[in-house]
Amino acid sequence: MSVRAGREFLAIPGPTTVPDEVLRAMHRPAIDIYSGPLIEITDRCHADLRRIFGTSGRSYIYIANGHGAWEAALTNTLSRGDKVLVLESGRFAIGWGETASRLGLAVEVLPGDWRRAVDPDAVEARLRADAAHEIKAVLVVQVDTASGVLNDIPAIGRAIAAAGHPALYLVDTIASLGTMPFDMDGWGVDVAVAGSQKGLMSPPGLGFVGTSKRARKVHETADLRTHYWDWTAREGERHYEKYCGTPPEHLLFALRQALDMLFAEGLEVAFERHRLLAGATHAAVERWAEGGDFEFNILVPAERSPSVTPVIMKDSRGPRLLLDYLREKFGVVLGIGLGALGDRAFRIAHMGHVNGPMMLGTLASVEAALVALGIPHGKGGTEAAIRHLGERVAP
Ligand SMILES: *Cc1c(COP(=O)(O)O)cnc(C)c1O
């Protein structure tokens, strides 16, 4: 038996569901890359990306995934042998640090807890101790998709300022941009990186970088610069130069449509939708956890991200059983645990093009799976999610 006919629901934290309108926007012939509508599409995408990043500085669009955007941020602002400080809070900041190592940078990890957000006081203390200013950049993730933590980017920015330290502030917003506020200029962020396939509802394949004026200045003397990632090279007059070659036309058509949808909804409304759907998910997990076999990975509710919820499963059979059942029987695909949570956790994404029925359907399907598999759980999770929305979504 199975109830999986029809569209599969992808509840993994990227790639996320691509809206039909975005898919349709790509279904057109290739067009000229030197003149005509593509020039305007590029300009409008940059204007909107700067708006979402919250910066008056320059932005860059790469044919790349998030890993490419990481490399772009590092190579444009740092030099061989420079030291960077990575703020641990899950798998992704560590991964960015590994990219830095491969580039020949010295990497120091400020140890963190996978179950808590980065402590801004610890950042301030570490930077105060660096009297010689050997640390050239601080790397942190706004939402770590592996642990599900939400780091307090403005508070870490204030900690860097309070330490009076000149390090550049580099932030990964790959799993958060478009799902919650970001304010580069207001928060003192020098470089922000993002990707197309998570909150921005587009296919994988585009990486974005937003820059402060200070980062653009530091770039002038960075010696890790290479031709493909180089910001200066991408500021050439010809449209072709903006992509260091042929523009990714169809991905740009998709992005343009996705940004139009995001702004038509309204950024604040989209952020509130994410808060509500995350809240509904948390309400359900809280109930399931009452049975003793489940637990939030992130211990403090205020540190749980609006875009993804990792859940630790204590059943000795492991989460694979649950994930396989959900895919095969219900057509719901949840995220696997990553890194330290590898075989102990699953992740429910509520990011990008998601709505009430998609999330309630996902949560109800999980609950049905718990029943089918005889996995002990607290009752009433879906009911709690329904109440969460019913009590907050005003008529
Ligand atoms: C997905 C993700 C990445 C990696 O992005 P890719 O497109 O898979 O290279 C990096 N950081 C965070 C926070 C992510 O969620």
Side-chain angles (χ1 to χ4, degrees):
M1 277 312 302
S2 149
V3 289
R4 65 153 296 153
R7 184 174 289 202
E8 182 171 82
F9 181 51
L10 196 60
I12 64 174
T16 60
T17 298
V18 180
D20 291 347
E21 295 91 325
V22 173
L23 291 173
R24 278 199 298 273
M26 291 186 283
H27 196 82
R28 56 184 282 192
I31 57 177
D32 186 21
I33 58 175
Y34 300 103
S35 63
L38 200 60
I39 315 281
E40 194 207 336
I41 289 177
T42 293
D43 290 345
R44 288 178 53 227
C45 284
H46 277 293
D48 284 350
L49 286 169
R50 285 196 295 269
R51 210 169 132 196
I52 305 176
F53 276 132
T55 187
S56 59
R58 292 174 186 267
S59 55
Y60 303 88
I61 300 176
Y62 295 94
I63 305 171
N65 58 16
H67 284 71
W70 278 351
E71 195 157 323
L74 298 170
T75 55
N76 274 291
T77 54
L78 295 159
S79 295
R80 279 168 189 75
D82 278 356
K83 181 173 184 173
V84 301
L85 181 68
V86 168
L87 311 183
E88 183 186 22
S89 63
R91 180 72 202 109
F92 283 95
I94 298 294
W96 198 3
E98 287 163 0
T99 299
S101 270
R102 292 287 182 90
L103 289 169
L105 295 162
V107 176
E108 175 180 330
V109 175
L110 185 72
D113 185 326
W114 273 51
R115 307 197 66 178
R116 292 295 315 267
V118 168
D119 174 9
D121 291 340
V123 178
E124 183 178 338
R126 179 63 194 93
L127 292 178
R128 280 187 188 281
D130 180 37
H133 295 165
E134 283 176 2
I135 295 168
K136 301 300 179 203
V138 174
L139 276 54
V140 69
V141 173
Q142 187 177 30
V143 166
D144 191 297
T145 330
S147 65
V149 81
L150 168 64
N151 286 315
D152 189 340
I153 301 304
I156 297 168
R158 287 193 297 273
I160 296 171
H165 197 291
L168 290 172
Y169 188 21
L170 275 48
V171 181
D172 170 338
T173 70
I174 295 171
S176 48
L177 201 72
T179 76
M180 62 172 295
F182 198 75
D183 183 8
M184 270 192 79
D185 292 354
W187 298 347
V189 174
D190 292 298
V191 183
V193 300
S196 50
Q197 80 275 23
K198 297 191 182 179
L200 298 180
M201 307 183 290
S202 299
L206 295 178
F208 311 119
V209 175
T211 62
S212 71
K213 296 194 171 61
R214 189 163 78 107
R216 180 62 186 77
K217 184 83 191 146
V218 170
H219 159 77
E220 289 170 10
T221 54
D223 84 2
L224 280 174
R225 286 162 59 177
T226 59
H227 184 61
Y228 185 73
W229 303 118
D230 195 284
W231 292 342
T232 301
R234 284 169 182 258
E235 289 162 12
E237 274 310 302
R238 290 184 312 146
H239 184 254
Y240 187 76
E241 293 169 85
K242 297 196 185 334
Y243 298 93
C244 193
T246 306
E249 297 194 337
H250 293 80
L251 291 177
L252 294 170
F253 298 151
L255 176 68
R256 190 56 260 152
Q257 178 64 33
L259 292 171
D260 283 344
M261 289 172 69
L262 192 56
F263 284 108
E265 180 182 11
L267 276 185
E268 289 304 326
V269 177
F271 298 160
E272 181 61 17
R273 169 169 57 83
H274 281 87
R275 268 195 292 277
L276 287 162
L277 296 174
T281 306
H282 296 164
V285 174
E286 210 163 278
R287 286 292 181 85
W288 296 335
E290 285 167 8
D293 265 38
F294 296 94
E295 192 182 309
F296 282 102
N297 180 52
I298 297 303
L299 299 168
V300 179
E303 296 176 358
R304 290 175 192 149
S305 88
S307 49
V308 58
T309 302
V311 181
I312 295 177
M313 187 171 154
K314 299 179 194 161
D315 191 292
S316 60
R317 292 173 288 176
R320 181 42 68 193
L321 177 81
L322 177 67
L323 299 190
D324 288 346
Y325 177 91
L326 278 167
R327 179 190 294 106
E328 286 160 23
K329 302 295 184 181
F330 277 76
V332 171
V333 186
L334 298 186
I336 54 169
L338 284 186
L341 295 177
D343 47 9
R344 295 193 296 128
F346 61 89
R347 296 177 300 155
I348 305 172
H350 26 84
M351 186 192 307
H353 189 62
V354 283
N355 61 23
M358 287 153 99
M359 281 324 296
L360 291 176
T362 297
L363 297 168
S365 300
V366 172
E367 208 161 312
L370 300 180
V371 171
L373 297 169
I375 297 173
H377 60 284
K379 302 289 179 278
T382 308
E383 169 69 15
I386 292 168
R387 297 223 140 263
H388 185 91
L389 295 182
E391 286 165 5
R392 287 167 184 79
V393 181

